[in-house]
Amino acid sequence: MTPEPGTNGSGGDPVAPAAGGDPVAPPVAPMLAKPARELPRGPGFLYEPKWDGFRCIVFRTAGGVELGSRNERPLTRYFPELVAAMGAALPPGCVIDGEIVVPGPSGLDFDALSQRIHPAQRRIDELAAATPASFVAFDLLASGGRDLRGEPLAERRRQLVTLLAGVGPPIHLTPATEDLEVAAGWFARFEGAGLDGVVAKDQALTYQPGKRVMVKVKHERTADCVVGGFRTHKDGRGVGSLLLGLHDAAGVLHHVGVASGFSVARRLELVGEVEPYRTGTEAHPWLLRFASTPGGAGPAGGPGGGDPAGGGGPAARVPGGQSRWTGGKDLSWTPLRPELVCEVAYDHLQGDRFRHATSFRRWRPDRDAPSCTYAQLEAPVPLELAEVFAAGD
C-alpha cells in the first residue's frame, strides 16, 4: 500500500496555521468514512463516487493557496499547476475538501500520482507538465469568509455547486445523487475509469474532522494466489503478512501484494501452517531474481532491489524493493516454496498488483500453484474518465 503523502519524510512539517482572520485555518483533519458491504438505504442520503487519489483540503486565502493532506501535511509544493489554477479560479475565503487525482489514458493513474511526491523541485516541475493533476471537490468547509462546518451537508453541497459554477478543468465537482439506483450504476460502471466504490453521506451531517461518520462501499473480489513468502510481524510475534504471487502468461511468478491484518492468535497459528514450506527454497524464483539485481541481497540480508518500481527490472515483480515511500522500513522476508495457495479478497487492481493489502479468506489445498494466474482476475470494463467528470461538472 502506498503511504499517505507527507509521511516518511516526503512532506516536511505539518501545514502551518494561516495568518489573518481566515474562518478555517490549516491544518484540518478531513471527515472520514467507515466501510460497509452495502450502500445504506433510506431518505436523506447523498451518494458520490469514491475517488482513488490523495485526499486534500484546499485553503484559498487572501495570501494564496495551501494544499493539506489527510495527515495534515503540506502538499502545496508538489502540485504547482493546481495551486496556479485554484488561485485563478477560487475566491479568497473558501476552504474545499476533495481529492487530487491524475487522469491517464486508462482512467485514474495512481502510480503516476505517487510519483508526484518528489524532493527535487526540478523533477516536480517536470512531472507537473508531464502528468498534470486534477482536483475533484466534494465538500465545502468555508465560503465567503464564513465557517460552514456547522451547516448540514445539504447546505454545504448547495453552496459548493454555486461556488464552482463556471469553474473548469483541472477543478471538477464530484457527481452526486440521491437516487440509490443511480449510485449502484456508478458503483458498477465507474470502476472502469479507476474509481474504487461509492460513498454515502447523510445530508444532515455537519462537517466532523477526523471522524468516520460517512459510509464507503468498495469493490471486493477474490483471487487464488501463490504464497511465496512471509514477513514476521513488527512485534516479533508470528506472521505479519503473507507475500502473494500470480503467474503471467509466460509462467513468471510476480509478487502482487500481501495479505495482512491477522489477529495475534491467527499470526501465531500461521507460523505452524507455513513451516513445512520453509525448506527447499534455493530455487525460489524471487530469490533468483533478487540475487541478480544490482545491490540486491538475500531475504535475510535485508531489503534491496527487485521490484520494478524500485529498479529491479521488468522480468518479474519481487518483494523487498526500497523506495522513498518505505522510509528505510525493514522489508526483509522469509521465502516459502511457492506451492501453497490461498484465497484472498481484494478491492482494486492497480496495473499488475493489488492496490491495497488483501484479506485472507482460506487455504486452497485443491489448487495447484501454476494455475494461479492473472487470467482469473476480473477486469472492469474500461470507461472514459471524461464521462465521470462530466457527470458532476
Side-chain angles (χ1 to χ4, degrees), residues 149-175:
R149 289 175 294 181
E151 298 289 334
L153 172 63
E155 175 61 19
R156 300 199 309 274
R157 172 74 186 190
R158 186 190 67 79
Q159 293 199 37
L160 179 63
V161 172
T162 300
L163 179 70
L164 297 185
V167 174
I171 303 170
H172 302 269
L173 175 68
T174 192

Side-chain angles (χ1 to χ4, degrees), residues 279-306:
T279 59
T281 60
E282 296 80 6
H284 195 299
W286 292 346
L287 292 185
L288 297 177
R289 176 61 183 163
F290 203 85
S292 69
T293 303

